[in-house]
Amino acid sequence: KINEYFTTLFANKYDMTFNLYFGDQKPRMALFVSKMSHCMYDILARYDAGQMDVDIPLIISNHEDMRHVAERFGIEYHVFPITKDNKEEQEAKEKALMKEKGVTFIVLARYMQIISEQMIKDYPNKIINIHHSFLPAFIGAKPYHGAYERGVKIIGATSHYVTTEL
């Protein structure tokens, strides 16, 4: 009944797509990481403390570096090295694995890869990017260095749904 009510009053009116989860249906999150651990640790610590009502069946990375962190938390860790020549093939393997594990959404925690348009289409409004708040002022691989050189004293984080534009 709640689903029908919300659909009638809001979803149809605003052309929305939504998911309604009850206590026995936890969203299943895939965590994507690269080499930096701070965002990964923060998410996993909150998950471990019961602050996030999700299941994390796997962590996907393009590097081996964070395997020890995943093992510490007892979560499967899968590496898919990505280059410009194999990106489509590797993302297909990632998507197959996520489908097998019942993943419903993805969180990028300092994942240093551009997500392809096809991956975004396959997970519309289901990929969340968490990154430093220096963007777009300090773009590139070393935003912290640029901010330090400019004397920036405040730091924070932001998140957004991944789109083809952002």
Side-chain angles (χ1 to χ4, degrees), residues 27-106:
R28 294 177 61 80
M29 178 173 86
L31 189 60
F32 279 46
V33 302
S34 285
K35 293 182 175 184
M36 301 292 281
S37 65
H38 59 286
C39 289
M40 180 183 185
Y41 267 118
D42 188 73
I43 290 169
L44 293 177
R46 292 171 192 275
Y47 171 70
D48 192 51
Q51 295 177 0
M52 299 175 69
D53 195 21
V54 299
D55 286 328
I56 304 177
L58 66 125
I59 296 169
I60 290 177
S61 184
N62 54 330
H63 298 282
E64 278 290 338
D65 299 56
M66 295 297 108
R67 182 178 295 279
H68 69 283
V69 178
E71 289 172 352
R72 178 178 291 168
F73 287 89
I75 299 173
E76 290 181 22
Y77 188 82
H78 300 270
V79 177
F80 296 91
I82 294 179
T83 66
K84 64 180 180 173
D85 297 325
N86 74 1
K87 187 177 196 74
E88 186 177 331
E89 175 187 337
Q90 293 294 66
E91 281 191 352
K93 291 176 185 177
E94 292 169 347
K95 289 186 282 189
L97 179 61
M98 289 188 294
K99 184 176 182 180
E100 175 189 322
K101 299 294 182 179
V103 168
T104 55
F105 75 106
I106 300 166

Side-chain angles (χ1 to χ4, degrees), residues 6-30:
F6 189 84
T7 299
T8 302
L9 290 180
F10 301 103
N12 290 340
K13 181 178 180 179
Y14 297 106
D15 194 27
M16 294 172 60
T17 301
F18 72 96
N19 292 308
L20 182 62
Y21 295 96
F22 293 96
D24 62 339
Q25 296 177 318
K26 287 186 182 180
R28 294 177 61 80
M29 178 173 86

Side-chain angles (χ1 to χ4, degrees), residues 83-138:
T83 66
K84 64 180 180 173
D85 297 325
N86 74 1
K87 187 177 196 74
E88 186 177 331
E89 175 187 337
Q90 293 294 66
E91 281 191 352
K93 291 176 185 177
E94 292 169 347
K95 289 186 282 189
L97 179 61
M98 289 188 294
K99 184 176 182 180
E100 175 189 322
K101 299 294 182 179
V103 168
T104 55
F105 75 106
I106 300 166
V107 172
L108 309 178
R110 289 283 299 184
Y111 183 62
M112 302 304 290
Q113 286 288 319
I114 303 290
I115 303 299
S116 74
E117 188 172 335
Q118 187 58 54
M119 178 78 89
I120 293 167
K121 285 180 181 176
D122 291 342
Y123 285 88
N125 300 315
K126 295 181 180 175
I127 305 174
I128 301 168
N129 190 15
I130 301 171
H131 56 76
H132 55 81
S133 60
F134 295 149
L135 291 177
F138 299 97

Side-chain angles (χ1 to χ4, degrees), residues 134-166:
F134 295 149
L135 291 177
F138 299 97
I139 58 175
K142 296 187 176 182
Y144 297 101
H145 295 81
Y148 177 79
E149 288 170 10
R150 291 265 301 272
V152 174
K153 304 288 186 212
I154 299 173
I155 188 170
T158 188
S159 64
H160 60 86
Y161 289 109
V162 174
T163 66
T164 54
E165 296 80 30
L166 187 61

